Amino acid sequence: MQHIQKKKTIHDEKELFVNTKYYVRFMHDNFDDDNYQNTITKLERRIERFHLYLLKNKSIIFLRLEQNNNGRIIYDEYTEQFNKSEYDYLIELSLLLKTKYDIRFKIIFIGNNSTKYDNDIICIKSDVSLLS
């Protein structure tokens, strides 16, 4: 996998492996030299399995808990990504799934904003800081 670096993402916490292109944080995966190939193989299997599932025209439910950004380190190269809300990114995901795959899906988004249903996204208002 390209673009993998070890970075601190939250003040006062350990460094995580981060995909610097998409700012995907690997909270539980280890890309150190001894584990690198095993981790890559595991992630490739998961990606392939997920892609095959999307092609099977099955129903799927995605669950997203809004991230608490308290203490978040926002590096200059990611500033633009943080200008959009998580909900905006979920709308993009919803549109992508509708145009690229023939699947029935719902996204359940638990966050700080209002409770609503739109674009196959079910928003549930909750005090996310209590869940962190």
Side-chain angles (χ1 to χ4, degrees):
M1 288 198 127
Q2 298 178 23
H3 311 291
I4 301 293
Q5 290 181 3
K6 206 168 191 179
K7 285 189 167 214
K8 202 173 213 19
T9 61
I10 297 179
H11 293 289
D12 300 328
E13 291 203 10
K14 68 178 185 171
E15 289 185 321
L16 300 173
F17 288 95
V18 176
N19 177 303
T20 56
K21 183 175 180 183
Y22 298 110
Y23 197 56
V24 173
R25 288 146 343 255
F26 297 94
M27 306 293 282
H28 307 288
D29 292 308
N30 188 346
F31 290 88
D32 285 332
D33 291 339
D34 294 342
N35 297 306
Y36 184 83
Q37 192 54 52
N38 288 337
T39 301
I40 295 298
T41 302
K42 176 181 72 171
L43 293 173
E44 287 172 342
R45 268 194 328 265
R46 288 179 179 177
I47 291 167
E48 179 64 18
R49 192 170 50 234
F50 179 65
H51 181 73
L52 290 173
Y53 193 85
L54 290 174
L55 294 173
K56 288 183 179 180
N57 192 22
K58 299 217 176 199
S59 296
I60 190 167
I61 295 174
F62 296 93
L63 180 63
R64 174 69 183 161
L65 176 64
E66 186 172 18
Q67 185 171 6
N68 181 347
N69 284 329
N70 291 343
R72 165 75 54 201
I73 298 171
I74 300 176
Y75 293 97
D76 290 341
E77 62 265 35
Y78 304 122
T79 310
E80 188 176 321
Q81 284 92 332
F82 279 94
N83 287 334
K84 288 173 62 174
S85 72
E86 288 187 54
Y87 180 74
D88 291 332
Y89 282 110
L90 291 176
I91 291 172
E92 288 180 17
L93 173 63
S94 176
L95 295 173
L96 174 75
L97 292 170
K98 288 175 186 175
T99 56
K100 190 167 181 172
Y101 300 97
D102 184 28
I103 62 168
R104 296 175 311 276
F105 71 93
K106 295 290 182 247
I107 301 170
I108 299 173
F109 178 54
I110 302 170
N112 288 319
N113 294 320
S114 62
T115 298
K116 63 182 173 183
Y117 176 73
D118 191 26
N119 293 304
D120 290 305
I121 303 170
I122 302 166
C123 295
I124 301 170
K125 183 179 170 117
S126 176
D127 185 352
V128 175
S129 65
L130 296 175
L131 303 173
S132 300

